[in-house]
Amino acid sequence: HYFIQSNLRMSYTVRLCQLTSHSSALSSIRALSAPSEYKVPGTEKFFKKQAVYGRPLSPHLTIYKPQLTSMLSISHRGSGIGYSILLYGGTLLTLLPGGFSHYVALAEQIAPGNGVITAFKAIVVLPLVYHTCNGFRHLAWDTGKGFKIAEVYKSGWFTVGVSVVLSLLMALLL
Amino acid sequence: HYFIQSNLRMFAGLSKVGPQCLKLNVISKPMIQAKFLSGSIVTHWKAERYVSILTAGAIFGAVVAPSLAVDHSLAILIPLHTHWGLEQVFTDYIHVKPVQKVVSISLWLITAATVLALLYFNQHDIGITQAVKDVWNIKRVQTEDLG
């Protein structure tokens, strides 16, 4: 993340440079552009060659030590994806005939006991609350704040704690 | 994640040019935003962050002051935030060109359909806020004792 965000800042400074030295920047962009790593001559041949030789890929995700930074990052992405699915599913539900309240009444018929419902609510709302809290953490990074490793870890644990507490409170009190 | 790749490439490009001029090397066109050269990538990035803030605000608004206006803004903001998020996800993981095209078009269709469906739902049914409240308050229906 350090790397990403430090490069974001660099991209801003470079952008500023380009804007101030407007003249030949545009004309030289095409000349200077280079293809992505997937199009660099030799890259595709390299991968094809390795496949032909039957060479295995080195382990990566299976051996990399899970860290708070990476785990929170993928959780942010995962919770976002999970809630996208919920959004699309819920929207589909609104399109079914009979009106939304009809299906709510159906659900009430088959609802389990109150304890189970409360636990279920806490579990379902946790990804959303976490995504929101971590979202604010991301926005703080976008303003340039909080990149020191100690700060990243502190804000990370804070986010996790707040998410868990808030989800429990919402499930119990709301 | 897009920024990792684009900035790594930018490092590579800058080293070719040398320290005396920091001309921005536009290395590769990002998959979706073909208008990189005009700087709309920066606009897009900013728009993503503003929409995130607005979405959080709209959800907060739905909690404290629910109304049709808040429901309609949610109907637009949530699918938009979702769309841009999913777009970043599949930009990161899908590199095969034809699959990119298919997924991109599908995502646009799904987002459009979601926005329209939610707007319709707000107008002709109970609305997003009320729907969420109803689902949240689902309790077991007490059956009558037939004793």
Side-chain angles (χ1 to χ4, degrees), chain A residues 47-87:
Chain A
F47 283 113
K48 283 208 176 102
K49 184 175 171 186
Q50 306 310 310
V52 163
Y53 277 115
R55 290 174 180 163
L57 203 55
S58 300
H60 40 89
L61 288 175
T62 45
I63 57 163
Y64 207 111
K65 175 180 176 178
Q67 294 164 305
L68 188 71
T69 45
S70 51
M71 292 300 104
L72 291 191
S73 178
I74 194 63
S75 302
H76 188 79
R77 181 161 269 200
S79 56
I81 296 174
Y83 259 82
S84 314
I85 299 175
L86 262 184
L87 171 73

mmCIF file of all heavy atoms in Angstrom, chain A residues 47-87:
data_model
loop_
_atom_site.group_PDB
_atom_site.id
_atom_site.type_symbol
_atom_site.label_atom_id
_atom_site.label_comp_id
_atom_site.label_asym_id
_atom_site.label_seq_id
_atom_site.Cartn_x
_atom_site.Cartn_y
_atom_site.Cartn_z
ATOM 1 N N PHE A 47 5.779 -16.875 -21.468
ATOM 2 C CA PHE A 47 4.782 -17.684 -20.774
ATOM 3 C C PHE A 47 4.399 -18.911 -21.587
ATOM 4 O O PHE A 47 4.192 -19.996 -21.042
ATOM 5 C CB PHE A 47 3.545 -16.834 -20.439
ATOM 6 C CG PHE A 47 3.772 -15.937 -19.251
ATOM 7 C CD1 PHE A 47 3.821 -14.566 -19.386
ATOM 8 C CD2 PHE A 47 3.940 -16.487 -17.988
ATOM 9 C CE1 PHE A 47 4.033 -13.754 -18.290
ATOM 10 C CE2 PHE A 47 4.160 -15.664 -16.887
ATOM 11 C CZ PHE A 47 4.206 -14.304 -17.038
ATOM 12 N N LYS A 48 4.306 -18.728 -22.914
ATOM 13 C CA LYS A 48 3.961 -19.879 -23.746
ATOM 14 C C LYS A 48 5.046 -20.939 -23.645
ATOM 15 O O LYS A 48 4.764 -22.138 -23.557
ATOM 16 C CB LYS A 48 3.805 -19.441 -25.208
ATOM 17 C CG LYS A 48 2.508 -18.731 -25.507
ATOM 18 C CD LYS A 48 2.076 -18.932 -26.958
ATOM 19 C CE LYS A 48 0.722 -18.301 -27.197
ATOM 20 N NZ LYS A 48 0.791 -17.014 -27.881
ATOM 21 N N LYS A 49 6.278 -20.483 -23.658
ATOM 22 C CA LYS A 49 7.400 -21.424 -23.595
ATOM 23 C C LYS A 49 7.375 -22.217 -22.293
ATOM 24 O O LYS A 49 7.584 -23.437 -22.282
ATOM 25 C CB LYS A 49 8.712 -20.644 -23.712
ATOM 26 C CG LYS A 49 9.942 -21.509 -23.768
ATOM 27 C CD LYS A 49 11.177 -20.643 -24.011
ATOM 28 C CE LYS A 49 12.433 -21.464 -23.858
ATOM 29 N NZ LYS A 49 13.642 -20.608 -23.956
ATOM 30 N N GLN A 50 7.113 -21.508 -21.204
ATOM 31 C CA GLN A 50 7.064 -22.210 -19.915
ATOM 32 C C GLN A 50 5.952 -23.238 -19.902
ATOM 33 O O GLN A 50 6.100 -24.329 -19.341
ATOM 34 C CB GLN A 50 6.856 -21.219 -18.763
ATOM 35 C CG GLN A 50 7.861 -20.087 -18.718
ATOM 36 C CD GLN A 50 9.296 -20.565 -18.808
ATOM 37 O OE1 GLN A 50 9.708 -21.454 -18.077
ATOM 38 N NE2 GLN A 50 10.047 -19.986 -19.724
ATOM 39 N N ALA A 51 4.814 -22.878 -20.537
ATOM 40 C CA ALA A 51 3.699 -23.820 -20.576
ATOM 41 C C ALA A 51 4.068 -25.045 -21.393
ATOM 42 O O ALA A 51 3.773 -26.184 -21.020
ATOM 43 C CB ALA A 51 2.470 -23.142 -21.156
ATOM 44 N N VAL A 52 4.777 -24.801 -22.535
ATOM 45 C CA VAL A 52 5.170 -25.919 -23.393
ATOM 46 C C VAL A 52 6.111 -26.865 -22.653
ATOM 47 O O VAL A 52 5.998 -28.089 -22.724
ATOM 48 C CB VAL A 52 5.852 -25.381 -24.675
ATOM 49 C CG1 VAL A 52 6.634 -26.480 -25.363
ATOM 50 C CG2 VAL A 52 4.816 -24.792 -25.603
ATOM 51 N N TYR A 53 7.019 -26.295 -21.897
ATOM 52 C CA TYR A 53 7.949 -27.125 -21.136
ATOM 53 C C TYR A 53 7.284 -27.781 -19.922
ATOM 54 O O TYR A 53 7.904 -28.599 -19.257
ATOM 55 C CB TYR A 53 9.138 -26.285 -20.659
ATOM 56 C CG TYR A 53 10.213 -26.114 -21.699
ATOM 57 C CD1 TYR A 53 10.497 -24.854 -22.223
ATOM 58 C CD2 TYR A 53 10.946 -27.207 -22.159
ATOM 59 C CE1 TYR A 53 11.478 -24.680 -23.169
ATOM 60 C CE2 TYR A 53 11.931 -27.040 -23.117
ATOM 61 C CZ TYR A 53 12.192 -25.775 -23.613
ATOM 62 O OH TYR A 53 13.168 -25.608 -24.558
ATOM 63 N N GLY A 54 6.029 -27.373 -19.650
ATOM 64 C CA GLY A 54 5.325 -27.952 -18.508
ATOM 65 C C GLY A 54 5.896 -27.494 -17.183
ATOM 66 O O GLY A 54 5.790 -28.193 -16.174
ATOM 67 N N ARG A 55 6.504 -26.309 -17.153
ATOM 68 C CA ARG A 55 7.110 -25.846 -15.895
ATOM 69 C C ARG A 55 6.047 -25.272 -14.985
ATOM 70 O O ARG A 55 5.230 -24.469 -15.418
ATOM 71 C CB ARG A 55 8.157 -24.775 -16.196
ATOM 72 C CG ARG A 55 9.375 -25.347 -16.875
ATOM 73 C CD ARG A 55 10.328 -24.265 -17.284
ATOM 74 N NE ARG A 55 11.491 -24.836 -17.944
ATOM 75 C CZ ARG A 55 12.326 -24.131 -18.691
ATOM 76 N NH1 ARG A 55 12.103 -22.838 -18.862
ATOM 77 N NH2 ARG A 55 13.359 -24.709 -19.254
ATOM 78 N N PRO A 56 6.064 -25.647 -13.703
ATOM 79 C CA PRO A 56 5.050 -25.131 -12.784
ATOM 80 C C PRO A 56 5.378 -23.698 -12.379
ATOM 81 O O PRO A 56 6.524 -23.259 -12.438
ATOM 82 C CB PRO A 56 5.163 -26.077 -11.589
ATOM 83 C CG PRO A 56 6.583 -26.524 -11.605
ATOM 84 C CD PRO A 56 7.014 -26.572 -13.032
ATOM 85 N N LEU A 57 4.331 -22.982 -11.970
ATOM 86 C CA LEU A 57 4.501 -21.626 -11.460
ATOM 87 C C LEU A 57 4.955 -21.713 -10.010
ATOM 88 O O LEU A 57 4.514 -22.596 -9.277
ATOM 89 C CB LEU A 57 3.160 -20.902 -11.551
ATOM 90 C CG LEU A 57 3.140 -19.384 -11.592
ATOM 91 C CD1 LEU A 57 4.000 -18.864 -12.713
ATOM 92 C CD2 LEU A 57 1.707 -18.924 -11.785
ATOM 93 N N SER A 58 5.827 -20.805 -9.590
ATOM 94 C CA SER A 58 6.234 -20.811 -8.189
ATOM 95 C C SER A 58 5.048 -20.489 -7.305
ATOM 96 O O SER A 58 4.173 -19.726 -7.699
ATOM 97 C CB SER A 58 7.318 -19.754 -7.943
ATOM 98 O OG SER A 58 8.432 -20.012 -8.736
ATOM 99 N N PRO A 59 5.026 -21.053 -6.084
ATOM 100 C CA PRO A 59 3.906 -20.715 -5.179
ATOM 101 C C PRO A 59 3.960 -19.241 -4.820
ATOM 102 O O PRO A 59 5.024 -18.660 -4.668
ATOM 103 C CB PRO A 59 4.163 -21.597 -3.958
ATOM 104 C CG PRO A 59 5.587 -21.934 -4.016
ATOM 105 C CD PRO A 59 5.974 -21.961 -5.458
ATOM 106 N N HIS A 60 2.786 -18.635 -4.731
ATOM 107 C CA HIS A 60 2.733 -17.218 -4.359
ATOM 108 C C HIS A 60 1.740 -16.983 -3.230
ATOM 109 O O HIS A 60 2.129 -16.856 -2.075
ATOM 110 C CB HIS A 60 2.435 -16.343 -5.587
ATOM 111 C CG HIS A 60 1.413 -16.926 -6.504
ATOM 112 N ND1 HIS A 60 0.075 -16.704 -6.372
ATOM 113 C CD2 HIS A 60 1.526 -17.741 -7.586
ATOM 114 C CE1 HIS A 60 -0.577 -17.342 -7.318
ATOM 115 N NE2 HIS A 60 0.275 -17.983 -8.068
ATOM 116 N N LEU A 61 0.453 -17.016 -3.535
ATOM 117 C CA LEU A 61 -0.548 -16.746 -2.505
ATOM 118 C C LEU A 61 -0.492 -17.772 -1.390
ATOM 119 O O LEU A 61 -0.766 -17.468 -0.229
ATOM 120 C CB LEU A 61 -1.949 -16.726 -3.118
ATOM 121 C CG LEU A 61 -2.264 -15.513 -3.984
ATOM 122 C CD1 LEU A 61 -3.635 -15.681 -4.618
ATOM 123 C CD2 LEU A 61 -2.228 -14.237 -3.165
ATOM 124 N N THR A 62 -0.102 -19.005 -1.726
ATOM 125 C CA THR A 62 -0.119 -20.064 -0.711
ATOM 126 C C THR A 62 1.013 -19.925 0.276
ATOM 127 O O THR A 62 0.955 -20.501 1.361
ATOM 128 C CB THR A 62 -0.026 -21.441 -1.377
ATOM 129 O OG1 THR A 62 0.992 -21.395 -2.371
ATOM 130 C CG2 THR A 62 -1.341 -21.813 -2.003
ATOM 131 N N ILE A 63 2.057 -19.179 -0.080
ATOM 132 C CA ILE A 63 3.193 -19.106 0.834
ATOM 133 C C ILE A 63 3.382 -17.734 1.455
ATOM 134 O O ILE A 63 4.129 -17.581 2.406
ATOM 135 C CB ILE A 63 4.511 -19.502 0.134
ATOM 136 C CG1 ILE A 63 4.741 -18.608 -1.084
ATOM 137 C CG2 ILE A 63 4.487 -20.965 -0.245
ATOM 138 C CD1 ILE A 63 6.153 -18.644 -1.584
ATOM 139 N N TYR A 64 2.693 -16.703 0.904
ATOM 140 C CA TYR A 64 2.905 -15.348 1.409
ATOM 141 C C TYR A 64 2.251 -15.216 2.772
ATOM 142 O O TYR A 64 1.086 -15.574 2.951
ATOM 143 C CB TYR A 64 2.312 -14.325 0.439
ATOM 144 C CG TYR A 64 2.976 -12.980 0.488
ATOM 145 C CD1 TYR A 64 3.742 -12.522 -0.577
ATOM 146 C CD2 TYR A 64 2.837 -12.150 1.591
ATOM 147 C CE1 TYR A 64 4.355 -11.284 -0.549
ATOM 148 C CE2 TYR A 64 3.440 -10.920 1.638
ATOM 149 C CZ TYR A 64 4.205 -10.486 0.570
ATOM 150 O OH TYR A 64 4.806 -9.266 0.599
ATOM 151 N N LYS A 65 2.989 -14.693 3.737
ATOM 152 C CA LYS A 65 2.456 -14.583 5.094
ATOM 153 C C LYS A 65 1.282 -13.613 5.115
ATOM 154 O O LYS A 65 1.395 -12.492 4.638
ATOM 155 C CB LYS A 65 3.569 -14.077 6.004
ATOM 156 C CG LYS A 65 3.124 -13.800 7.429
ATOM 157 C CD LYS A 65 4.310 -13.310 8.247
ATOM 158 C CE LYS A 65 3.862 -12.930 9.654
ATOM 159 N NZ LYS A 65 4.991 -12.500 10.475
ATOM 160 N N PRO A 66 0.148 -14.055 5.651
ATOM 161 C CA PRO A 66 -0.981 -13.127 5.768
ATOM 162 C C PRO A 66 -0.630 -11.999 6.733
ATOM 163 O O PRO A 66 -0.137 -12.249 7.823
ATOM 164 C CB PRO A 66 -2.105 -13.983 6.344
ATOM 165 C CG PRO A 66 -1.656 -15.370 6.240
ATOM 166 C CD PRO A 66 -0.181 -15.369 6.200
ATOM 167 N N GLN A 67 -0.860 -10.767 6.309
ATOM 168 C CA GLN A 67 -0.591 -9.612 7.158
ATOM 169 C C GLN A 67 -1.854 -8.799 7.279
ATOM 170 O O GLN A 67 -2.770 -8.920 6.463
ATOM 171 C CB GLN A 67 0.512 -8.753 6.544
ATOM 172 C CG GLN A 67 1.846 -9.446 6.509
ATOM 173 C CD GLN A 67 2.818 -8.749 5.572
ATOM 174 O OE1 GLN A 67 2.523 -8.556 4.410
ATOM 175 N NE2 GLN A 67 3.973 -8.386 6.090
ATOM 176 N N LEU A 68 -1.895 -7.947 8.292
ATOM 177 C CA LEU A 68 -3.104 -7.153 8.487
ATOM 178 C C LEU A 68 -3.419 -6.334 7.236
ATOM 179 O O LEU A 68 -4.560 -6.240 6.804
ATOM 180 C CB LEU A 68 -2.941 -6.223 9.699
ATOM 181 C CG LEU A 68 -4.224 -5.505 10.086
ATOM 182 C CD1 LEU A 68 -5.199 -6.497 10.689
ATOM 183 C CD2 LEU A 68 -3.964 -4.365 11.041
ATOM 184 N N THR A 69 -2.376 -5.751 6.648
ATOM 185 C CA THR A 69 -2.571 -4.898 5.477
ATOM 186 C C THR A 69 -3.257 -5.645 4.343
ATOM 187 O O THR A 69 -4.295 -5.221 3.831
ATOM 188 C CB THR A 69 -1.221 -4.376 4.982
ATOM 189 O OG1 THR A 69 -0.289 -5.465 4.962
ATOM 190 C CG2 THR A 69 -0.703 -3.290 5.889
ATOM 191 N N SER A 70 -2.693 -6.800 3.978
ATOM 192 C CA SER A 70 -3.252 -7.527 2.840
ATOM 193 C C SER A 70 -4.602 -8.142 3.176
ATOM 194 O O SER A 70 -5.515 -8.148 2.344
ATOM 195 C CB SER A 70 -2.285 -8.616 2.364
ATOM 196 O OG SER A 70 -1.870 -9.418 3.449
ATOM 197 N N MET A 71 -4.753 -8.637 4.411
ATOM 198 C CA MET A 71 -6.016 -9.267 4.775
ATOM 199 C C MET A 71 -7.149 -8.247 4.791
ATOM 200 O O MET A 71 -8.257 -8.500 4.311
ATOM 201 C CB MET A 71 -5.901 -9.956 6.129
ATOM 202 C CG MET A 71 -4.974 -11.164 6.135
ATOM 203 S SD MET A 71 -5.504 -12.459 4.982
ATOM 204 C CE MET A 71 -4.340 -12.249 3.653
ATOM 205 N N LEU A 72 -6.880 -7.060 5.347
ATOM 206 C CA LEU A 72 -7.915 -6.036 5.354
ATOM 207 C C LEU A 72 -8.229 -5.573 3.943
ATOM 208 O O LEU A 72 -9.370 -5.290 3.596
ATOM 209 C CB LEU A 72 -7.491 -4.851 6.218
ATOM 210 C CG LEU A 72 -7.419 -5.107 7.713
ATOM 211 C CD1 LEU A 72 -7.262 -3.790 8.456
ATOM 212 C CD2 LEU A 72 -8.651 -5.825 8.199
ATOM 213 N N SER A 73 -7.190 -5.495 3.105
ATOM 214 C CA SER A 73 -7.419 -5.040 1.740
ATOM 215 C C SER A 73 -8.312 -6.002 0.986
ATOM 216 O O SER A 73 -9.274 -5.597 0.323
ATOM 217 C CB SER A 73 -6.077 -4.901 1.024
ATOM 218 O OG SER A 73 -6.263 -4.503 -0.296
ATOM 219 N N ILE A 74 -8.005 -7.304 1.074
ATOM 220 C CA ILE A 74 -8.823 -8.263 0.340
ATOM 221 C C ILE A 74 -10.205 -8.377 0.959
ATOM 222 O O ILE A 74 -11.194 -8.611 0.254
ATOM 223 C CB ILE A 74 -8.113 -9.641 0.230
ATOM 224 C CG1 ILE A 74 -8.806 -10.509 -0.820
ATOM 225 C CG2 ILE A 74 -8.090 -10.368 1.556
ATOM 226 C CD1 ILE A 74 -8.751 -9.928 -2.216
ATOM 227 N N SER A 75 -10.304 -8.144 2.291
ATOM 228 C CA SER A 75 -11.629 -8.153 2.914
ATOM 229 C C SER A 75 -12.456 -6.993 2.421
ATOM 230 O O SER A 75 -13.664 -7.124 2.228
ATOM 231 C CB SER A 75 -11.507 -8.073 4.437
ATOM 232 O OG SER A 75 -10.745 -9.143 4.907
ATOM 233 N N HIS A 76 -11.802 -5.846 2.201
ATOM 234 C CA HIS A 76 -12.517 -4.696 1.666
ATOM 235 C C HIS A 76 -13.091 -5.042 0.295
ATOM 236 O O HIS A 76 -14.257 -4.792 -0.007
ATOM 237 C CB HIS A 76 -11.563 -3.508 1.556
ATOM 238 C CG HIS A 76 -12.242 -2.223 1.204
ATOM 239 N ND1 HIS A 76 -12.929 -1.472 2.125
ATOM 240 C CD2 HIS A 76 -12.346 -1.568 0.033
ATOM 241 C CE1 HIS A 76 -13.419 -0.390 1.535
ATOM 242 N NE2 HIS A 76 -13.081 -0.431 0.270
ATOM 243 N N ARG A 77 -12.245 -5.661 -0.518
ATOM 244 C CA ARG A 77 -12.710 -6.052 -1.847
ATOM 245 C C ARG A 77 -13.779 -7.130 -1.747
ATOM 246 O O ARG A 77 -14.814 -7.070 -2.411
ATOM 247 C CB ARG A 77 -11.512 -6.553 -2.648
ATOM 248 C CG ARG A 77 -11.835 -6.960 -4.045
ATOM 249 C CD ARG A 77 -10.588 -6.982 -4.895
ATOM 250 N NE ARG A 77 -10.376 -5.698 -5.543
ATOM 251 C CZ ARG A 77 -9.625 -5.519 -6.615
ATOM 252 N NH1 ARG A 77 -8.998 -6.525 -7.140
ATOM 253 N NH2 ARG A 77 -9.477 -4.328 -7.158
ATOM 254 N N GLY A 78 -13.540 -8.142 -0.922
ATOM 255 C CA GLY A 78 -14.489 -9.240 -0.799
ATOM 256 C C GLY A 78 -15.842 -8.793 -0.274
ATOM 257 O O GLY A 78 -16.886 -9.220 -0.774
ATOM 258 N N SER A 79 -15.833 -7.916 0.741
ATOM 259 C CA SER A 79 -17.107 -7.437 1.278
ATOM 260 C C SER A 79 -17.850 -6.625 0.234
ATOM 261 O O SER A 79 -19.078 -6.701 0.121
ATOM 262 C CB SER A 79 -16.895 -6.617 2.548
ATOM 263 O OG SER A 79 -16.025 -5.547 2.306
ATOM 264 N N GLY A 80 -17.094 -5.869 -0.564
ATOM 265 C CA GLY A 80 -17.733 -5.109 -1.633
ATOM 266 C C GLY A 80 -18.400 -6.019 -2.642
ATOM 267 O O GLY A 80 -19.551 -5.806 -3.037
ATOM 268 N N ILE A 81 -17.671 -7.065 -3.038
ATOM 269 C CA ILE A 81 -18.231 -8.006 -4.007
ATOM 270 C C ILE A 81 -19.442 -8.709 -3.412
ATOM 271 O O ILE A 81 -20.491 -8.857 -4.060
ATOM 272 C CB ILE A 81 -17.172 -9.035 -4.439
ATOM 273 C CG1 ILE A 81 -16.024 -8.328 -5.161
ATOM 274 C CG2 ILE A 81 -17.777 -10.102 -5.321
ATOM 275 C CD1 ILE A 81 -14.879 -9.239 -5.505
ATOM 276 N N GLY A 82 -19.327 -9.146 -2.154
ATOM 277 C CA GLY A 82 -20.444 -9.829 -1.503
ATOM 278 C C GLY A 82 -21.684 -8.975 -1.488
ATOM 279 O O GLY A 82 -22.788 -9.439 -1.796
ATOM 280 N N TYR A 83 -21.510 -7.704 -1.142
ATOM 281 C CA TYR A 83 -22.676 -6.845 -1.092
ATOM 282 C C TYR A 83 -23.206 -6.499 -2.472
ATOM 283 O O TYR A 83 -24.397 -6.208 -2.621
ATOM 284 C CB TYR A 83 -22.411 -5.595 -0.243
ATOM 285 C CG TYR A 83 -23.033 -5.760 1.125
ATOM 286 C CD1 TYR A 83 -22.392 -6.471 2.117
ATOM 287 C CD2 TYR A 83 -24.302 -5.264 1.379
ATOM 288 C CE1 TYR A 83 -22.986 -6.669 3.342
ATOM 289 C CE2 TYR A 83 -24.902 -5.450 2.602
ATOM 290 C CZ TYR A 83 -24.246 -6.159 3.581
ATOM 291 O OH TYR A 83 -24.847 -6.354 4.799
ATOM 292 N N SER A 84 -22.337 -6.534 -3.488
ATOM 293 C CA SER A 84 -22.851 -6.355 -4.850
ATOM 294 C C SER A 84 -23.833 -7.461 -5.179
ATOM 295 O O SER A 84 -24.902 -7.216 -5.743
ATOM 296 C CB SER A 84 -21.723 -6.421 -5.878
ATOM 297 O OG SER A 84 -20.647 -5.662 -5.492
ATOM 298 N N ILE A 85 -23.452 -8.684 -4.800
ATOM 299 C CA ILE A 85 -24.332 -9.815 -5.072
ATOM 300 C C ILE A 85 -25.646 -9.644 -4.322
ATOM 301 O O ILE A 85 -26.730 -9.874 -4.876
ATOM 302 C CB ILE A 85 -23.632 -11.139 -4.688
ATOM 303 C CG1 ILE A 85 -22.362 -11.298 -5.522
ATOM 304 C CG2 ILE A 85 -24.553 -12.315 -4.862
ATOM 305 C CD1 ILE A 85 -21.529 -12.496 -5.159
ATOM 306 N N LEU A 86 -25.546 -9.190 -3.056
ATOM 307 C CA LEU A 86 -26.768 -8.945 -2.292
ATOM 308 C C LEU A 86 -27.624 -7.879 -2.962
ATOM 309 O O LEU A 86 -28.854 -7.989 -3.029
ATOM 310 C CB LEU A 86 -26.412 -8.481 -0.878
ATOM 311 C CG LEU A 86 -26.419 -9.532 0.231
ATOM 312 C CD1 LEU A 86 -26.141 -8.880 1.563
ATOM 313 C CD2 LEU A 86 -27.760 -10.244 0.278
ATOM 314 N N LEU A 87 -26.948 -6.840 -3.453
ATOM 315 C CA LEU A 87 -27.691 -5.753 -4.109
ATOM 316 C C LEU A 87 -28.449 -6.277 -5.309
ATOM 317 O O LEU A 87 -29.644 -6.018 -5.482
ATOM 318 C CB LEU A 87 -26.718 -4.655 -4.539
ATOM 319 C CG LEU A 87 -27.329 -3.554 -5.417
ATOM 320 C CD1 LEU A 87 -28.205 -2.656 -4.591
ATOM 321 C CD2 LEU A 87 -26.238 -2.739 -6.090
#
